Every structure is written in structure tokens, then in C-alpha cells.
């Protein structure tokens, strides 16, 4: 190729580099506006909501018991109610969230997840979190119904008997909740049984009105009233002062049609009305979410304006008015999962992430400069550009991955918006720095070989890049495949990690293959005969690796079997000790406290035994002070959790600790509550992700090489995943979604070394017909030994920086990645190659023949 053609080609490369740089500058400036932080960095609360089908079923049966007489009638009614309800749910939830005054909330449906909704409230404090949790679950379905014409007589007759509805006991002129109310009220069919208690006939329901003093007054309320007046007829609602009682009430204004219906209803049933000849008006029951708010007597005809009276304080009155203005949910909702993070936690995570990134960058840059001298300086320039050009890669990857699973918070959809930066995303950034120089190392080692073969500098650079490209492409593509699978099956922070890791791989390939080549083309004399100055730890190694494999394979899988056996025993005895709440369901709370008043573990357990004697309690040492982790199996779904005030397990555990140890100053840093349904889904998706990754890599490596090579790679990957999981568990840590993410990363990363070794074996099979397959495998492993060790060292540096400065889930991620990097280096030499060798029974496979068959 002539100098002129090289110059023209390089001009286009410089222009592409400039374009990428301009785009990167555009999409991330100004940083305060363009860089969005996830809740785990910004602080706030995230809810995963879903339709409460059990509550919906009970509500349908309670309002129309006759449906139970027809097989499938209840399910059919549920299907009608839920048909096309997702958009309506999002609209109502969005109006409610807007009324809370939260800045930049995220509200999005979760397609394919069965009427689920993700709601994120950045910067929400504890009070906002509690109010939001309660508000988002209220259907706010308002209805006006008449009581029985002889309601007073029926109630008096009922109270004269020494009986009480299930879960209640007689108390004065009404009922009070019995000690077993929390248990029986959560039993299946309770709402329907309560509605049928001592009713005069099937047209009426038994309902209790809260008197505000711990007692409840009974009423018999019509199941339906004509004309039917509901909250759908409301135009607006506002907090007012009741002129009669002086208390707060909710004033409302109805639409013209609603006013007409309400006017007809109240005119017909006022005293001496067309349908009420008595001297006293009928009682009008005001019902919200199947709960009786009040039952005032109709004094006169009411038109488009009215008033809802009850026992409201200022906050509850405003909350109800906001919910009525937002509209009613078409179905009752429940919180399936909740994550709450204090802003200080995010600040610490950002600071630690910056430190880890700077330290990782410095360690890698210094190492590359020392080992490869001026070539290492070229690699450092590429490493710097990896960070500078990363924004463009993030936008590109977000749009690419968005094709597989659209997530508005992660960009995509043709936008130029950066994806949300999450804590795992920071981990992905640091890890991608460690992996970024892999391609450079492979190229430099190839250039070294070309110089050793007597090539000039121009020939060495040209051949080095050309011969390294196949291995670079194959090894990085396996990581990209893993990133795609992670994005498809993952959610939130995991998707942030997948985008960051994939973008890091994409941009590092560009800088390693294109940018560094530009530097060499402009700075190196093509006719130079003297080799580039580089260190060389392994000079012409000739180790007999294959001889040791019959021992290494056996011992490796023995260690795996032993560690997994320990994991299984711990799992059987107490699964909560080995699996985090995002996989088992439960509530996990991390506390900050005063270090000089640190309570003993046994005292903390005693304080919590009354609530959950199986709770996991751990002190966790961080970069600065330690934190306390409390993990309980109780959630808002369980009997104990549902009986708590506001069904808030985290608040209850916090109060227990604060009351018992006031001097320790326990404050909640983060709360994660995962219901059984979401936990099961996450566990299932994590398992699928691992299996899909293994199958995809087997298929790709088998296609690019041969099945025997793919089998060797897949056995090595299984070895790395199981070895990492087993040893990680032996360290007493819990397997979580971020740990599964790390396992997938290990699978995608460790196959890189294996692919490089296999690529060298394939090359030697094509060009060296003299060596036996045994000697050829040894020669290929020895030829790649420097590259294998050096790339593992640079990745190890990056992960070590995360390990040193990470906390919580990032610490777990770094720990298992450290194990995985070592295991992956080991398996590419001592597992993958011998498995492949044994598959072919020591005979040379013929790639040329396979290629001819494809032609």
C-alpha cells in the first residue's frame, strides 16, 4: 500500500475520531444537565407496583356474591376490569406523583410483566416515601350509596346481640378490633365474609365506619344504588372547613352529568322525597376503596357541589383530595418491591467510584508504560480517549440495546440522551478500563513476534494489527453478547452496568485498532529494523502445560464440588444466609450508627427476636466506618408485615433498634423490600441469563472454530462461574442480583483468553503441519502466556481498586470478580485447552476441510 493511500485512509480515520469527540462533548455538556444519576447515586425511592389480584377478586365477590355461583364468572369479571388498564394506571399514578411535588420522577410500565409499573422518586425523604407508598396503593375509588331504609333498626337489633364480626369484639355502642384481627383480616375471602355478616338480604353489605376512637359503627349499605354516582363524575376536590363541625372536609364539584345524577339521587331520598315518604332523609354512605368513610343523612337536594365529611387531619385531607383529583385506579395496586437510598449513600458511592476509577486508571497506565515503554504510552493515550469518547459509545450502545428491550431511563429510541448512571454502572466503567488495554496487549505481543521474525517496523506494525484483529474481534464480541443478554433480562442498575460495559468494549476496540494505528503510522519509521523497547517476563517459554492438566482438571472440580456442597448445606439450613432479598423476597436494611456506641450482635438479635428470630444480622466493614445489615424475611405481603402500621417493615425494624439502642443513633442508609413475586422473577431471569450466555457463547465459539473448541470454552466458563460462586460463598457473602451480574461478566470476560488461545491453535493448525496436536497446544498456550498474564494483571488492578474503595453490593461485585479473573486465567490454560484436546482424542482437527464444506 502506498504512502498516499495510507494518508487518505488515515484522513478519514482522523475525521471519524474528531466526529466522535464532538458528539461526546455535545451529549455530556453541561454535565450538571446531561449526566443523570440513578437513585442509588442520587438518593430517593423506587417502587415496583403490580395489580393486587387477590384484593381485586375479593372486592368483586364482596360487591356481587352471586358471581361465585357461576364457574369462571369471577375470573371473567377480573379480565374485563384489567383489560387495557395499564395506560389508565400510568395516567392516575402520574397525576398522584405530580401532586407530591417530586422533581423529575420516572414512571414507566414494565411490558411483559403483567400490569407492573416502575415509579422512581429521586431525592424523596422518609416522609415523602411513606406518603407515596400509601398513596400509590390506594385505588381511590369513590362511590355514593344508600344505606338500608331501616338501617337504624337493623343496627340496634344487631348490637343487642352478643355477637361480633370475625376479627372484632363488642365495645360500647359498636365494635373494636380483636387481638386476632391482623391474622384473620389477611385470610383469603375475609372481605366477602365480612360483607355478608348479619345482612338482611343479598342486596346489602355489612360495613364498618371508623369512629376515630378505636371503635367502629355498623351500617348496612346497598350494593348498588341508582342512579350510580362515583368518583368518575368528579371534576375537582379540595380541602374545606366544615361549617357545622368546624373540622376539615373534602369539598367536591361534579360534572354536569354527575351533578344531574347526584341531584336526582339526593332529591329522591331526602325527607318526603319521591322515593322516601318518611320525615327523615335516608343516609348516604360515602365509600372509598370499599371502606365506609361516613354515612350522613340527606338533608336536601344536592347539585354539582357537595362535601365529604369524615375524621380528617390536614395531611390526610390533602392526600385524599389529591387522590380524588388524580382519579381512581382501575384496580387495586400493591408494592411488589421497594428500594430507598439516603442521599449521603449516593454521595459516598460517587466519591468512592471516582477514587476507584482514578486509581484503576493510574495503576493500568503506569504498568503499561513501564512494561511496553513508548508503545505503552500509545496504549495510555488510547486509555484516556476511552474515557473521553465513552459518551458517544454510551449513546450508540443505548440505542442498539434499546432495540432488544426499550427502557426510557436508559436512553435509546433514537435519542442522544446519556443513560442513567448507576452504582453498578460505575463498576462497569472501572472494569472496562481494566479490559480496555487487552487489545493493545494482544497487538503489542504480536508486534514483538514480528520483530523477532526479522520484520521491519512497518511490516511488524502492519502484520501485528492484522493478525491480532481476529482474536480481538472474537474475544470482545463474546463480552458484547453477554452485555446484550444482561440488558434484556436485567432491570434498572443491571441495565446500567450492561450499557457501560458494552460501551467500554466498543470504544476500546475503536481506540486500540484505529487510534493507536494512526499514532504508529505517523510516529514510526517504516524502515526501522530495531525492535520497540518492551519488557518481557516470559522469554521463549516452553512449559509443558498439557502434562499438568490431568491433575489440574480433577483438583479444580474437586474444589468446586466441596465449595458448592458447603453452599448447599447453608442454603438448606437458612437460605437467607446465602441469598439476598432480591432473590428470596424480604426486607434488607443498612444502618449507619455511632461507632463508639456499637451494640453487641447478641443484643441486636435479642431486640429483633420478637419480630423475626431468623433475621440475618451482620456488621459490614467499609472504606470508612462499618455499617449494620439487617435482613428479614418479612415484607408487606407477610402476616407480620401486613399487620404493621402502613405495612412498613423497614420503619418497624428501625424503631425497634432506635428504641433499644438510642445511644447508637441508628439511621437508615438504604432499605430494600422485595416481594415474593419479584424475587422469584429476578431469580428466574438471573438463571436464564446465565444459561443463555453459556449457550450463546457455545454457539458462537463453535461456529467460529469447531464444536470441540466450543465445548472446551463452555466447560471452562462453567468452571469459572461455579468456582467463583463457591469461593465467594465460602467468604460468607450473599448471592444477589449484582453477584449474578458479576458471574455473567466473568463468563463474558474469561472466554476472551480462551478465544485468544484457540485462535492461536487454529492459526498454527493451518500453518504448521509438523507438530503433533499435543505439542501444538503446548506451543500455542506458551505463545499466548504473556498476553494472558498481562491482561489478567491489568483487569485485576481495576477490580482491586473497586474492591478497596467499593462498599455494599459493589464490594461483593469486586470480590467475586477478583476470584473470577484468577479463575478465568487458570481455566483458559488448564481447563479449556485440555477439554478441547480430549474431545478430539489428541488428533489434529482440520479447519481447511471445514472451510471447504462451507463454501
Amino acid at each position: 500500500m502506498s504512502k498516499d493511500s495510507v494518508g487518505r485512509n488515515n484522513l478519514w480515520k482522523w475525521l471519524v475520531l474528531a466526529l466522535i469527540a464532538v458528539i461526546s462533548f455535545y451529549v455530556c455538556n453541561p454535565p450538571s444537565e446531561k449526566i443523570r444519576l440513578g437513585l442509588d447515586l442520587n438518593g430517593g425511592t423506587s417502587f415496583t407496583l403490580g395489580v393486587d389480584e387477590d384484593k381485586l377478586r375479593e372486592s368483586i365477590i364482596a360487591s356481587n356474591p352471586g358471581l361465585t355461583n357461576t364457574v369462571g364468572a369471577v375470573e371473567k369479571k377480573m379480565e374485563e376490569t384489567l383489560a387495557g388498564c395499564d395506560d389508565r394506571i400510568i395516567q392516575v399514578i402520574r397525576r398522584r406523583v405530580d401532586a407530591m411535588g417530586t422533581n423529575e420522577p420516572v414512571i414507566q410500565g414494565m411490558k411483559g410483566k403483567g400490569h407492573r409499573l416502575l415509579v422512581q422518586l429521586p431525592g424523596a425523604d422518609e416522609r415523602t416515601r411513606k406518603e407515596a407508598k400509601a398513596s400509590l396503593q390506594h385505588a381511590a375509588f369513590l362511590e355514593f350509596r344508600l344505606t338500608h331504609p331501616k338501617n337504624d333498626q337493623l343496627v340496634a337489633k344487631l348490637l343487642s346481640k352478643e355477637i361480633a364480626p370475625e376479627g372484632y369484639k363488642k365495645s360500647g355502642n359498636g365494635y373494636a378490633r380483636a387481638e386476632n384481627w391482623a391474622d384473620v383480616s389477611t385470610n383469603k375471602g375475609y372481605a366477602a365474609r365480612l360483607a355478608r355478616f348479619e345482612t338482611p338480604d343479598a342486596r346489602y353489605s355489612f360495613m364498618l365506619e371508623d369512629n376515630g376512637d378505636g371503635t367502629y359503627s355498623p351500617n348496612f349499605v346497598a350494593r348498588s344504588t341508582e342512579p350510580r354516582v362515583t368518583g368518575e363524575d368528579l371534576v375537582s376536590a379540595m380541602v374545606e372547613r366544615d361549617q357545622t363541625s368546624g373540622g376539615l372536609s373534602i369539598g367536591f364539584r361534579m360534572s354536569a352529568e354527575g351533578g344531574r345524577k347526584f341531584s336526582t339521587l339526593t332529591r329522591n331520598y331526602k325527607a318526603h322525597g319521591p322515593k322516601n315518604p318518611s320525615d327523615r332523609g335516608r343516609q348516604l354512605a360515602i365509600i372509598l376503596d370499599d371502606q365506609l368513610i361516613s354515612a350522613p343523612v340527606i338533608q336536601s337536594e344536592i347539585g354539582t357541589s357537595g362535601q365529604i365529611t369524615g375524621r380528617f387531619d390536614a395531611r390526610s385531607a390533602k392526600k385524599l383530595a389529591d387522590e380524588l383529583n388524580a382519579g381512581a385506579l382501575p384496580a387495586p395496586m400493591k408494592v411488589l418491591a421497594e428500594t430507598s437510598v439516603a442521599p449521603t449513600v449516593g454521595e459516598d458511592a460517587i466519591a468512592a467510584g471516582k477514587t476507584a476509577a482514578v486509581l484503576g486508571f493510574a495503576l493500568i497506565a503506569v504498568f503499561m508504560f513501564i512494561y511496553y515503554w513508548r508503545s505503552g504510552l500509545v496504549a495510555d493515550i488510547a486509555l484516556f480517549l476511552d474515557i473521553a469518547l465513552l459518551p458517544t459509545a454510551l449513546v450508540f450502545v443505548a440505542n442498539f440495546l434499546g432495540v432488544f428491550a426499550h427502557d426510557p431511563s436508559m436512553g435509546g429510541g433514537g435519542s442522544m440522551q446519556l443513560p442513567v448512571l448507576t452504582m453498578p454502572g460505575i463498576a462497569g466503567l472501572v472494569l472496562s478500563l481494566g479490559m480496555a488495554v487487552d487489545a493493545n496487549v494482544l497487538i503489542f505481543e504480536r508486534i514483538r513476534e514480528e520483530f523477532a521474525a526479522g520484520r521491519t517496523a512497518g511490516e511488524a506494525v502492519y502484520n501485528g494489527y492484522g493478525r491480532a484483529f481476529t482474536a480481538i474481534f472474537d474475544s470482545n464480541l463474546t463480552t458484547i453478547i453477554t452485555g446484550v443478554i444482561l440488558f434484556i433480562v436485567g432491570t434498572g442498575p443491571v441495565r446500567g452496568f450492561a450499557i457501560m460495559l458494552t460501551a467500554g468494549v466498543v470504544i476500546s476496540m475503536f481506540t486500540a485498532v484505529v487510534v493507536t494505528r494512526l499514532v504508529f503510522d505517523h510516529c514510526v519509521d517504516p524502515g526501522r529494523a530495531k525492535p520497540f523497547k518492551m519488557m518481557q517476563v516470559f522469554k521463549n517459554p516452553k512449559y509443558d502445560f498439557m502434562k499438568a492438566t490431568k491433575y489440574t482438571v480433577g483438583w479444580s472440580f474437586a474444589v468446586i464440588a466441596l465449595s458448592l456442597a458447603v453452599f448447599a448445606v447453608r442454603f438448606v439450613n437458612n437460605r437467607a444466609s446465602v441469598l439476598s432479598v432480591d432473590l428470596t423476597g424480604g426486607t434488607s436494611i443498612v444502618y449507619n450508627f455511632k461507632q463508639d456506641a456499637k451494640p453487641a450482635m447478641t443484643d441486636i438479635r435479642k431486640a429483633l427476636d420478637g419480630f423475626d428470630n431468623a433475621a440475618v444480622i451482620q456488621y459490614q466493614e467499609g472504606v470508612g466506618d462499618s455499617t449494620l445489615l439487617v435482613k428479614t424475611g418479612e415484607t408487606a405481603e407477610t402476616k407480620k408485615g401486613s399487620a404493621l402500621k402502613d405495612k412498613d417493615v423497614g420503619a418497624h425494624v428501625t424503631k425497634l433498634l432506635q428504641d433499644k439502642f438510642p445511644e447508637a443513633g441508628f439511621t437508615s442508609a438504604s432499605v430494600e423490600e422485595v416481594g415474593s413475586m419479584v424475587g422469584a422473577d429476578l431469580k428466574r431471569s438471573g438463571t436464564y441469563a446465565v444459561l443463555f450466555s453459556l449457550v450463546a457463547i457455545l454457539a458462537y465459539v463453535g461456529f467460529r472454530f469447531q464444536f470441540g473448541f466450543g465445548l472446551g470454552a463452555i466447560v471452562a466458563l462453567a468452571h469459572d462461574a461455579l468456582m467463583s460462586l463457591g469461593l465467594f460463598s465460602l467468604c460468607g457473602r450473599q448471592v444477589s442480583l449484582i453477584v449474578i451480574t458479576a458471574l455473567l461478566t466473568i463468563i463474558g470476560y474469561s472466554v476472551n483468553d480462551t478465544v485468544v488461545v484457540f485462535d492461536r491453535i487454529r492459526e498454527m493448525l493451518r500453518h504448521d503441519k509438523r507438530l503433533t496436536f499435543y505439542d501444538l497446544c503446548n506451543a500455542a498456550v506458551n505463545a499466548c502466556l504473556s498476553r494472558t498474564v498481562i491482561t489478567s494483571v491489568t483487569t485485576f488492578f481495576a477490580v482491586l481498586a473497586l474492591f478497596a474503595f467499593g462498599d455494599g453490593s459493589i464490594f461483593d461485585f469486586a470480590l467475586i470478580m477478583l476470584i473470577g479473573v484468577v479463575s478465568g486465567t487458570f481455566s483458559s490454560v488448564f481447563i479449556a485447552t485440555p477439554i478441547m484436546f480430549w474431545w478430539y482424542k489428541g488428533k489434529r482437527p482440520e479447519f481447511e476441510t471445514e472451510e471447504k464444506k462451507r463454501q
Side-chain angles (χ1 to χ4, degrees):
M1 186 178 290
S2 67
K3 289 185 178 180
D4 289 340
S5 62
V6 170
R8 287 194 297 270
N9 287 337
N10 286 350
L11 177 62
W12 282 108
K13 293 176 184 178
W14 284 114
L15 290 174
V16 171
L17 177 61
L19 177 63
I20 295 174
V22 170
I23 295 174
S24 292
F25 180 82
Y26 169 77
V27 299
C28 67
N29 278 285
S32 59
E33 296 179 8
K34 297 295 182 67
I35 299 179
R36 301 174 296 157
L37 301 180
L39 290 185
D40 51 359
L41 296 178
N42 194 35
T45 297
S46 172
F47 298 102
T48 299
L49 302 173
V51 172
D52 191 337
E53 294 190 5
D54 291 336
K55 192 172 182 180
L56 175 60
R57 182 179 288 103
E58 288 204 3
S59 176
I60 290 173
I61 295 173
S63 60
N64 192 350
L67 291 175
T68 58
N69 298 326
T70 305
V71 177
V74 175
E75 284 65 28
K76 183 178 180 181
K77 183 65 176 177
M78 288 181 63
E79 291 178 5
E80 292 174 357
T81 303
L82 296 176
C85 71
D86 291 359
D87 290 341
R88 172 65 177 166
I89 289 174
I90 291 176
Q91 291 174 2
V92 173
I93 293 295
R94 187 177 301 281
R95 287 195 290 264
R96 292 188 187 182
V97 170
D98 289 344
M100 297 175 194
T102 305
N103 291 325
E104 298 184 358
V106 175
I107 303 167
Q108 64 185 61
M110 302 172 68
K111 292 184 178 179
K113 295 291 185 179
H115 311 297
R116 292 192 193 174
L117 182 72
L118 176 67
V119 179
Q120 294 182 344
L121 308 176
D125 56 21
E126 181 63 13
R127 190 175 74 174
T128 302
R129 180 190 73 83
K130 289 182 178 179
E131 291 179 352
K133 186 174 184 178
S135 177
L136 296 177
Q137 295 180 90
H138 286 169
F141 184 76
L142 180 68
E143 193 171 11
F144 298 91
R145 288 192 248 154
L146 295 169
T147 61
H148 194 280
K150 299 180 180 180
N151 187 58
D152 291 343
Q153 297 95 308
L154 291 171
V155 168
K157 182 180 177 181
L158 175 61
L159 293 176
S160 66
K161 303 176 183 178
E162 291 301 318
I163 59 173
E166 184 181 5
Y168 289 85
K169 58 186 178 182
K170 288 288 293 293
S171 177
N173 198 29
Y175 302 103
R177 287 177 177 174
E179 290 73 14
N180 67 341
W181 179 85
D183 292 328
V184 301
S185 63
T186 58
N187 292 338
K188 188 176 181 179
Y190 176 77
R193 292 195 300 274
L194 183 65
R196 292 194 300 267
F197 179 72
E198 294 293 311
T199 54
D201 58 61
R203 295 173 299 169
Y204 293 89
S205 296
F206 175 84
M207 304 190 81
L208 291 169
E209 178 185 355
D210 188 354
N211 295 322
D213 58 0
T215 64
Y216 298 81
S217 299
N219 286 275
F220 294 95
V221 181
R223 293 187 183 277
S224 62
T225 298
E226 293 298 333
R228 190 167 183 262
V229 185
T230 69
E232 295 179 359
D233 298 307
L234 289 182
V235 172
S236 63
M238 65 207 76
V239 180
E240 295 179 345
R241 182 71 62 181
D242 183 25
Q243 301 298 324
T244 304
S245 64
L248 294 176
S249 62
I250 309 298
F252 61 83
R253 185 168 60 85
M254 290 192 169
S255 63
E257 175 62 18
R260 185 190 62 76
K261 291 191 293 184
F262 201 54
S263 176
T264 300
L265 179 66
T266 53
R267 180 176 68 253
N268 285 340
Y269 293 99
K270 67 179 181 177
H272 302 294
K275 295 186 179 182
N276 180 34
S278 70
D279 296 331
R280 183 174 183 266
R282 287 275 291 278
Q283 287 176 265
L284 184 66
I286 303 172
I287 301 166
L288 181 69
D289 294 344
D290 293 326
Q291 299 296 315
L292 182 60
I293 301 297
S294 61
V297 174
I298 300 175
Q299 302 289 353
S300 60
E301 180 180 346
I302 304 173
T304 56
S305 299
Q307 194 178 70
I308 301 172
T309 57
R311 293 167 180 82
F312 305 114
D313 58 23
R315 297 187 68 82
S316 64
K318 182 181 183 304
K319 175 175 169 294
L320 177 56
D322 289 341
E323 290 176 355
L324 292 176
N325 283 323
L329 289 167
M333 306 293 289
K334 64 179 178 179
V335 174
L336 301 176
E338 173 188 354
T339 301
S340 182
V341 180
T344 53
V345 175
E347 293 170 2
D348 293 342
I350 292 173
K354 288 179 179 178
T355 304
V358 171
L359 178 61
F361 181 92
L363 287 173
I364 296 166
V366 170
F367 175 81
M368 291 296 290
F369 179 70
I370 292 174
Y371 196 87
Y372 289 109
W373 191 229
R374 291 180 180 174
S375 297
L377 185 60
V378 175
D380 290 345
I381 293 173
L383 190 63
F384 171 78
L385 287 175
D386 287 339
I387 299 175
L389 305 180
L390 183 61
T392 300
L394 287 171
V395 172
F396 169 77
V397 169
N399 280 280
F400 170 73
L401 294 179
V403 174
F404 298 96
H406 181 56
D407 187 339
S409 66
M410 294 299 163
S415 75
M416 294 291 288
Q417 192 174 36
L418 288 171
V420 170
L421 181 62
T422 62
M423 201 178 298
I426 292 179
L429 171 62
V430 177
L431 181 61
S432 64
L433 290 176
M435 298 169 61
V437 295
D438 283 13
N440 294 119
V441 171
L442 191 57
I443 292 168
F444 296 162
E445 292 298 322
R446 282 288 193 170
I447 290 174
R448 188 204 302 275
E449 293 175 9
E450 294 298 319
F451 273 121
R455 306 283 195 274
T456 63
E459 294 171 329
V461 170
Y462 181 82
N463 292 339
Y465 275 89
R467 293 180 177 177
F469 179 78
T470 302
I472 292 172
F473 179 82
D474 285 336
S475 60
N476 282 295
L477 190 58
T478 56
T479 303
I480 293 173
I481 289 172
T482 303
V484 172
I485 293 173
L486 265 175
F487 187 85
I488 292 173
V489 303
T491 57
V494 173
R495 285 182 169 174
F497 172 84
I499 290 178
M500 186 67 75
L501 182 65
T502 306
V505 170
V506 170
I507 201 63
S508 66
M509 284 182 64
F510 173 78
T511 58
V513 175
V514 176
V515 177
T516 58
R517 179 68 183 272
L518 286 173
V519 176
F520 278 121
D521 285 347
H522 284 77
C523 300
V524 174
D525 179 7
R528 167 181 169 151
K530 184 179 180 181
F532 298 154
K533 182 179 179 181
M534 300 178 186
M535 288 180 63
Q536 190 171 7
V537 175
F538 301 101
K539 296 182 178 179
N540 194 27
K542 295 182 179 179
Y543 302 111
D544 191 353
F545 290 106
M546 298 298 293
K547 183 178 181 180
T549 54
K550 58 184 178 182
Y551 303 107
T552 57
V553 173
W555 279 107
S556 293
F557 285 99
V559 171
I560 289 173
L562 179 62
S563 61
L564 291 182
V566 175
F567 176 87
V569 170
R570 293 178 60 202
F571 179 84
V572 172
N573 291 335
N574 182 10
R575 68 176 58 190
S577 65
V578 294
L579 299 180
S580 68
V581 296
D582 53 5
L583 299 181
T584 62
T587 304
S588 176
I589 314 110
V590 176
Y591 292 101
N592 294 320
F593 57 89
K594 297 177 182 177
Q595 300 295 318
D596 56 355
K598 181 178 180 180
M601 191 81 74
T602 53
D603 294 334
I604 296 175
R605 181 162 297 283
K606 288 179 182 177
L608 299 179
D609 273 352
F611 179 64
D612 183 6
N613 57 15
V616 175
I617 304 169
Q618 294 176 350
Y619 278 117
Q620 298 183 326
E621 300 300 327
V623 179
D625 296 329
S626 63
T627 57
L628 175 70
L629 168 67
V630 177
K631 175 187 172 185
T632 171
E634 303 296 339
T635 68
E637 296 178 354
T638 61
K639 282 193 174 183
K640 285 185 179 179
S642 62
L644 298 174
K645 182 181 179 182
D646 297 327
K647 300 181 180 181
D648 198 328
V649 174
H652 180 72
V653 173
T654 301
K655 188 174 187 306
L656 288 176
L657 293 179
Q658 290 176 340
D659 290 347
K660 183 67 176 178
F661 312 104
E663 69 284 352
F666 280 111
T667 56
S668 171
S670 65
V671 179
E672 182 179 18
E673 181 178 324
V674 179
S676 57
M677 187 184 300
V678 173
D681 284 352
L682 292 176
K683 188 161 47 178
R684 188 185 309 112
S685 63
T687 303
Y688 286 161
V690 173
L691 293 177
F692 290 161
S693 294
L694 291 174
V695 171
I697 291 173
L698 171 63
Y700 180 76
V701 175
F703 170 76
R704 289 289 292 163
F705 296 86
Q706 285 184 10
F707 179 79
F709 289 79
L711 180 64
I714 209 71
V715 173
L717 294 183
H719 164 276
D720 298 338
L722 295 175
M723 180 71 78
S724 301
L725 177 63
L727 296 181
F728 175 82
S729 180
L730 286 180
C731 295
R733 309 299 294 185
Q734 295 178 349
V735 179
S736 61
L737 195 59
I738 194 67
V739 171
I740 294 177
T741 301
L743 286 175
L744 287 167
T745 307
I746 290 169
I747 289 172
Y749 170 75
S750 65
V751 76
N752 290 3
D753 279 336
T754 301
V755 168
V756 170
V757 173
F758 284 174
D759 184 73
R760 183 59 65 96
I761 291 174
R762 178 175 58 183
E763 180 182 333
M764 295 179 70
L765 282 170
R766 287 170 173 166
H767 298 97
D768 192 332
K769 304 297 183 180
R770 296 173 294 110
L771 290 177
T772 66
F773 195 32
Y774 180 95
D775 292 333
L776 187 145
C777 289
N778 263 328
V781 173
N782 278 287
C784 297
L785 189 59
S786 291
R787 187 266 176 201
T788 298
V789 173
I790 293 170
T791 55
S792 296
V793 167
T794 55
T795 305
F796 193 87
F797 282 157
V799 178
L800 188 63
L802 276 177
F803 181 80
F805 292 96
D807 204 355
S809 62
I810 298 304
F811 178 89
D812 287 343
F813 176 88
L815 174 60
I816 196 168
M817 280 299 302
L818 286 176
I819 300 171
V821 168
V822 175
S823 177
T825 305
F826 175 88
S827 69
S828 63
V829 176
F830 294 106
I831 303 295
T833 304
I835 293 295
M836 178 272 297
F837 179 82
W838 294 336
W839 172 259
Y840 292 111
K841 299 178 181 179
K843 298 179 181 179
R844 295 169 58 115
E846 294 296 332
F847 278 91
E848 294 83 1
T849 302
E850 293 295 322
E851 288 178 353
K852 288 178 182 178
K853 287 181 179 180
R854 293 171 187 164
Q855 291 177 354

